[in-house]
Amino acid sequence: MSVPGPWYLGLAAFLFGIGATGLLVRRNILVMYMCIELMLNAVNLTFVTFSRMLNDLGGQDAVFFVLVVAAAEVVVGLGIIVAIYRRRAGATADDVNSLKG
Amino acid sequence: MSFLAATGLAIGSAWALYGVGTALVLAGALGVVLLRNPVHCALSLVTTIFGIALLFVDQHAYFLAAVQIIVYAGAIVILFLFVIMLLGVDRKEARAPENVRLLVPMALVVGAVAVAELLALARLQYWAAGAKSTTQSLSGPGSDIQKLGQTIFTSYLLPFEMTAALLVIAIVAAVALVRRRSQPPPAPPRKSAGALRHPARAPEAPGAAVRPAATAGAGRSAAAATRSPAAAASTPKTSNETREGRAVS
């Protein structure tokens, strides 16, 4: 016996909301990436919970692929951040406006 | 009677695990959003990840709990900390005035609306609606890692191979993004080996020495333009040049 699924789904919704709010509020690009990780974790929790509620292994497979994609995304994103910091010191999200015409 | 006591204990321990995991998850998430120092944010992210792994264990997804800790806490957060350390941004975020007025209240409203929408949509219909056990039954015989491996190598073989390609592409992209270009690319291949070994000295061939200055004067290569001060003085990249110099020093 374990905790009913809706408890996990509610927690995942709150975690996703906190991550989305942090993505909007914070100005440091690294912390914004961490907020994206929070949202991905919320979705992972939802997948595992649905997998248990529907007695289906596909949700856990989806979590597996989300983990791989998250790792690749972080690698490329941090490479972009390092390249930005090399060109200009102390870049927040407001400073990256070089594409402005 | 003893069976009932054991069942009650199992239910109680499941709820206890859920409570601890929820506390860790919410505390870590609030720490990521609210703390000012990026290092503290990364450590709060580790707290959230451990809480999520606890909730995975509570739902009998043992393999995913282990992978969650290994991949997230062992690789991704370490990568964040390495980048923070490399760039030296482990100081408090400046509390500069926002470009957009009322940014924080608007963001709070958007987040609250998102949570309310998720909860309302989930309560309007059933929480989990759909066909059961279409991929494979979760409660069948065997451990969860064995069943996960079987489905990945049968039903999800093509996505699995595509993730392999994605990882290779990500590695190549990271190297290509971060690599410092020491020599201009159109150097002839027979001289490039010696030129790469001694990048600071003048190359033996006179043609290779003339070529970077020519490209910098033409303004075709941005990297060469920022390296050469004479060329940078004539271009509007002077502010970037001084900023880069300050960042290095």
Side-chain angles (χ1 to χ4, degrees):
Chain A
M1 294 301 292
S2 54
V3 182
W7 288 85
Y8 293 99
L9 297 179
L11 171 65
F14 276 106
L15 182 58
F16 190 89
I18 290 173
T21 309
L23 183 68
L24 293 173
V25 166
R26 297 305 295 261
R27 302 150 59 85
N28 192 331
I29 310 177
L30 281 163
V31 182
M32 290 168 77
Y33 259 87
M34 292 180 205
C35 292
I36 294 177
E37 298 304 318
L38 285 183
M39 293 157 76
L40 284 172
N41 271 301
V43 174
N44 279 350
L45 183 58
T46 312
F47 268 128
V48 169
T49 307
F50 278 141
S51 163
R52 187 176 59 112
M53 290 170 85
L54 293 175
N55 194 16
D56 192 337
L57 204 59
Q60 298 200 7
D61 286 326
V63 172
F64 189 77
F65 291 120
V66 168
L67 280 173
V68 177
V69 173
E73 168 241 338
V74 162
V75 165
V76 175
L78 289 181
I80 292 174
I81 290 174
V82 168
I84 289 174
Y85 267 88
R86 269 194 194 148
R87 291 194 65 83
R88 46 180 66 222
T92 64
D94 294 336
D95 296 332
V96 191
N97 53 5
S98 303
L99 278 180
K100 197 164 60 179
Chain B
M1 188 58 79
S2 68
F3 170 74
L4 281 183
T7 310
L9 191 65
I11 292 176
S13 69
W15 276 100
L17 208 56
Y18 174 79
V20 173
T22 303
L24 284 178
V25 165
L26 290 181
L30 288 176
V32 170
V33 174
L34 295 179
L35 290 179
R36 289 271 152 228
N37 194 329
V39 178
H40 297 165
C41 291
L43 296 180
S44 300
L45 185 59
V46 174
T47 308
T48 296
I49 285 157
F50 270 101
I52 294 279
L54 266 185
L55 297 177
F56 282 180
V57 168
D58 204 12
Q59 308 198 63
H60 308 289
Y62 303 114
F63 174 69
L64 286 180
V67 168
Q68 171 92 3
I69 288 182
I70 290 169
V71 171
Y72 265 110
I76 292 183
V77 178
I78 295 298
L79 208 59
F80 273 117
L81 288 174
F82 260 108
V83 170
I84 290 171
M85 188 182 68
L86 268 175
L87 299 176
V89 289
D90 52 342
R91 54 180 177 270
K92 286 190 171 57
E93 198 172 322
R95 203 74 181 99
E98 308 283 353
N99 281 351
V100 184
R101 265 179 4 104
L102 301 175
L103 175 68
V104 175
M106 275 162 35
L108 285 178
V109 167
V110 168
V113 166
V115 172
E117 194 176 19
L118 281 174
L119 293 176
L121 280 178
R123 287 305 291 175
L124 281 182
Q125 290 296 317
Y126 300 107
W127 282 97
K132 290 182 185 291
S133 304
T134 53
T135 307
Q136 189 179 339
S137 170
L138 192 64
S139 56
S143 62
D144 62 337
I145 178 170
Q146 180 188 356
K147 286 180 285 189
L148 260 178
Q150 277 173 356
T151 52
I152 280 176
F153 282 103
T154 53
S155 311
Y156 295 100
L157 185 59
L158 181 63
F160 182 68
E161 299 291 338
M162 285 165 70
T163 52
L166 177 72
L167 281 178
V168 174
I169 292 168
I171 290 170
V172 173
V175 171
L177 277 172
V178 181
R179 186 176 63 110
R180 282 183 196 276
R181 183 165 297 164
S182 58
Q183 287 289 91
R190 59 191 170 83
K191 288 163 194 154
S192 67
L196 278 178
R197 221 181 299 132
H198 305 289
R201 296 178 194 162
E204 295 86 1
V210 170
R211 189 181 279 272
T215 52
R220 277 211 300 265
S221 163
T226 49
R227 287 294 137 71
S228 154
S234 62
T235 59
K237 298 210 170 190
T238 318
S239 59
N240 280 348
E241 173 81 15
T242 52
R243 272 192 200 166
E244 197 176 31
R246 241 186 328 182
V248 168
S249 66

